[in-house]
Amino acid sequence: MDKRNAELVVKSNRDAMPKKNRHIDLSDQNLPSLLLRLAIPSVIGLSINAVQQLLNAIFVGSLGAQAIAAVSMTMPLIVVLAAVGEGIGVGTASFISRHLGAGNELEACRGASTALALAAPIGVIMTIALLVTLRDIFVALGATPTILPIALDYATILLPGSTLMLLNIVSGFIVRAEGNTRYSMWTMLTAFTLNALLDPIFICLLGLGVQGAASATLISQIAAISLYIAYFTERLGTVLVSISQVSLRVDRIRQLALIGAPAMTTSILAALAGMFLYRAAARFGDDFIAAVGIAVRILTIGALPITGFCIGSQAVLGFGWGARDFARVMKVAKFMISITVTLSVAYSAAVIVFARPLVGLFSDSDDVTEIAVSSSIVFHLFFGFYGIQSFVTTMLQSMGRARLSAVVSFARQGYLFIPAVLLFPVISGFSGLLVSQAVAELGAGMIALFVMLRLFAEFRRGELAHSARNRECSLVSSGIIPTK
């Protein structure tokens, strides 16, 4: 199909769609209302994901410590797969939004269609590679002879759905990029509800164990992709996704890849950190692996809503920075910092105070519970800094400060955590493992705080310079100061 015909196809499909106001005015002066409207769908979506992980862990926890440990061993693999999907999705969402804003719907359609066309074969290749090397991967992660067969049972059912997971992630980014956040939210809610209903049936009633948990997750992925297929085939959005719009031009693929690479790298670092963490815990036995898995799940659940608020603010920050409206950027930053820090500090305090009943939701083993309680408390000692670290990373990405963003985002689970988790357990045993997480959290928070204060000073200087230029232009236009 040539360019002219492609434009006619897109135009005819656009004209056939009902006219709806799908866009939010990013220049809206009511910042709290604007930010909440953008952030709440992201928070709900990520919170649904967190609750789904919680329910899965509760049902799997009823099978014993070895089942918890086996499922926890699989999580780094899932994180790597999700990181690839997030990288493609972030790049695609940026590509779509920018071209829709420029009025180039044809290029937006090509970007969306190309991203999905790339995600499918990437998912298939990664699935085959992981299944072929699965046993070796688990052994490298430190799986004991008692955990290994359970982990294999779980992963061999779950991993064939990797392609569906990638397609779901990319589809969600496409839908949100064109402003239809509600559809994405309802899709995630539908998948969660189905998973929550199937978990007790497959695990408890049918006695399928971890295989039942994996099957429930796989079926919920199928349901989600079915809803996204309906969205695209029924043309419920503004972007037309079809085979005819796929374009494998190198420059277009490069745009998608370069924008999404930092997000993918951060997620892959998180997966590597998880691998090193579980491998370090494996030296102390199955109960320690299970306990660390519980503490990590609780930590992740608290991080997701904060991340959702940060995602919601990104568009407003980028809009203000692009307009050189430093006062607006400062107002957004202060409002978001107040929310994210409040959430992170409150969650940290709640986990420390209620660690035992929270851990009790995941395990009925006294030994695992004792280890998990202490692990959860230490892991959350400095979690209050996460609100700063998460938002500063988002703000830097919005400003296009890729290198500085990498310095902040890679600290928590990268260059601070990985050396610590490799060294401290050798020196201080399991206590050293716990301290490595706390030290990385504190260090990443301090780095983010230092960068944030420097950014605020930069905003103030920029605001003063911008105001001076405006006054000069006003005086010139009024004739008080002659033009040069």
Side-chain angles (χ1 to χ4, degrees):
M1 181 183 291
D2 59 28
K3 181 177 180 180
R4 176 60 180 165
N5 289 335
E7 289 174 344
L8 290 173
V9 169
V10 173
K11 184 177 185 302
S12 63
N13 282 291
R14 183 183 68 243
D15 292 341
M17 296 177 192
K19 302 296 183 183
K20 296 181 180 180
N21 182 16
R22 303 178 187 276
H23 303 285
I24 293 177
D25 181 11
L26 297 178
S27 63
D28 189 341
Q29 294 303 307
N30 189 350
L31 280 176
S33 174
L34 174 63
L35 289 167
L36 290 175
R37 277 183 288 153
L38 288 168
I40 286 175
S42 297
V43 173
I44 292 175
L46 290 177
S47 298
I48 289 170
N49 185 28
V51 174
Q52 182 172 346
Q53 292 183 31
L54 174 64
L55 286 177
N56 280 338
I58 290 173
F59 285 116
V60 171
S62 66
L63 301 174
Q66 292 177 348
I68 300 173
V71 173
S72 298
M73 282 277 184
T74 310
M75 289 306 296
L77 306 181
I78 303 303
V79 171
V80 170
L81 290 164
V84 175
E86 184 180 356
I88 299 172
V90 168
T92 305
S94 175
F95 187 93
I96 291 171
S97 298
R98 286 184 290 107
H99 284 91
L100 286 179
N104 191 346
E105 291 188 13
L106 173 60
E107 193 65 12
C109 296
R110 285 175 172 166
S113 301
T114 302
L116 290 172
L118 290 172
I122 289 174
V124 171
I125 293 170
M126 293 187 69
T127 298
I128 295 173
L130 288 173
L131 288 174
V132 169
T133 59
L134 194 56
R135 179 179 294 272
D136 294 334
I137 291 173
F138 283 139
V139 171
L141 288 174
T144 62
T146 53
I147 291 176
L148 181 59
I150 304 174
L152 290 172
D153 285 343
Y154 182 77
T156 50
I157 292 178
L158 189 66
L159 287 179
S162 300
T163 304
L164 295 179
M165 184 176 71
L166 288 184
L167 291 173
N168 276 327
I169 293 172
V170 176
S171 297
F173 274 102
I174 293 172
V175 171
R176 290 190 292 272
E178 58 182 5
N180 206 339
T181 55
R182 288 186 178 181
Y183 192 92
S184 177
M185 181 185 69
W186 284 111
T187 299
M188 287 187 285
L189 183 59
T190 300
F192 157 73
T193 303
L194 183 59
N195 198 340
L197 292 174
L198 292 178
D199 264 343
I201 295 174
F202 286 176
I203 296 174
C204 303
L205 293 181
L206 299 181
L208 296 178
V210 294
Q211 292 178 324
S215 299
T217 301
L218 181 59
I219 292 173
S220 68
Q221 293 281 355
I222 295 172
I225 197 61
S226 299
L227 290 174
Y228 281 127
I229 290 173
Y231 179 89
F232 294 129
T233 55
E234 296 296 324
R235 295 167 185 168
L236 300 179
T238 56
V239 174
L240 172 64
V241 174
S242 69
I243 296 176
S244 63
Q245 299 300 324
V246 175
S247 175
L248 301 178
R249 277 173 39 189
V250 175
D251 61 328
R252 184 175 290 112
I253 296 175
R254 185 185 295 114
Q255 287 187 61
L256 298 177
L258 289 178
I259 298 171
M264 182 178 69
T265 303
T266 301
S267 296
I268 290 176
L269 273 177
L272 290 174
M275 291 179 183
F276 286 120
L277 180 65
Y278 288 121
R279 185 170 179 81
R283 298 172 53 211
F284 307 100
D286 293 356
D287 288 349
F288 288 87
I289 298 175
V292 168
I294 291 171
V296 169
R297 283 181 181 274
I298 295 174
L299 193 71
T300 303
I301 289 168
L304 287 176
I306 297 169
T307 304
F309 268 101
C310 292
I311 291 172
S313 71
Q314 193 164 22
V316 185
L317 284 167
F319 185 90
W321 181 256
R324 315 307 290 173
D325 190 344
F326 300 103
R328 183 177 177 83
V329 173
M330 178 75 88
K331 289 179 182 177
V332 174
K334 288 182 177 179
F335 179 78
M336 290 304 302
I337 281 291
S338 67
I339 291 179
T340 57
V341 171
T342 299
L343 287 174
S344 58
V345 170
Y347 187 80
S348 176
V351 171
I352 291 173
V353 173
F354 300 107
R356 188 168 296 277
L358 284 173
V359 169
L361 295 173
F362 299 92
S363 176
D364 54 5
S365 168
D366 292 338
D367 292 338
V368 172
T369 297
E370 289 302 321
I371 302 168
V373 167
S374 60
S375 300
S376 298
I377 290 173
V378 176
F379 278 15
H380 287 82
L381 284 176
F382 302 109
F383 184 73
F385 283 103
Y386 180 76
I388 299 175
Q389 189 259 342
S390 182
F391 176 74
V392 170
T393 299
T394 301
M395 182 163 58
L396 290 168
Q397 291 171 344
S398 303
M399 296 163 59
R401 302 280 185 86
R403 292 182 180 179
L404 194 53
S405 172
V407 170
V408 175
S409 62
F410 293 173
R412 182 173 179 259
Q413 293 176 312
Y415 62 83
L416 290 182
F417 175 75
I418 292 177
V421 80
L422 291 175
L423 179 62
F424 290 178
V426 176
I427 298 174
S428 304
F430 188 71
S431 297
L433 182 150
L434 300 183
V435 170
S436 63
Q437 172 64 37
V439 167
E441 195 84 73
L442 176 61
M446 297 304 293
I447 291 171
L449 181 61
F450 175 75
V451 172
M452 182 185 72
L453 294 176
R454 289 194 61 181
L455 287 174
F456 282 2
E458 181 181 340
F459 294 157
R460 293 188 187 97
R461 291 193 300 270
E463 183 180 354
L464 291 173
H466 189 65
S467 299
R469 285 194 297 269
N470 286 340
R471 284 195 298 270
E472 182 179 351
C473 291
S474 177
L475 292 172
V476 169
S477 62
S478 62
I480 298 175
I481 297 178
T483 56
K484 296 180 181 180

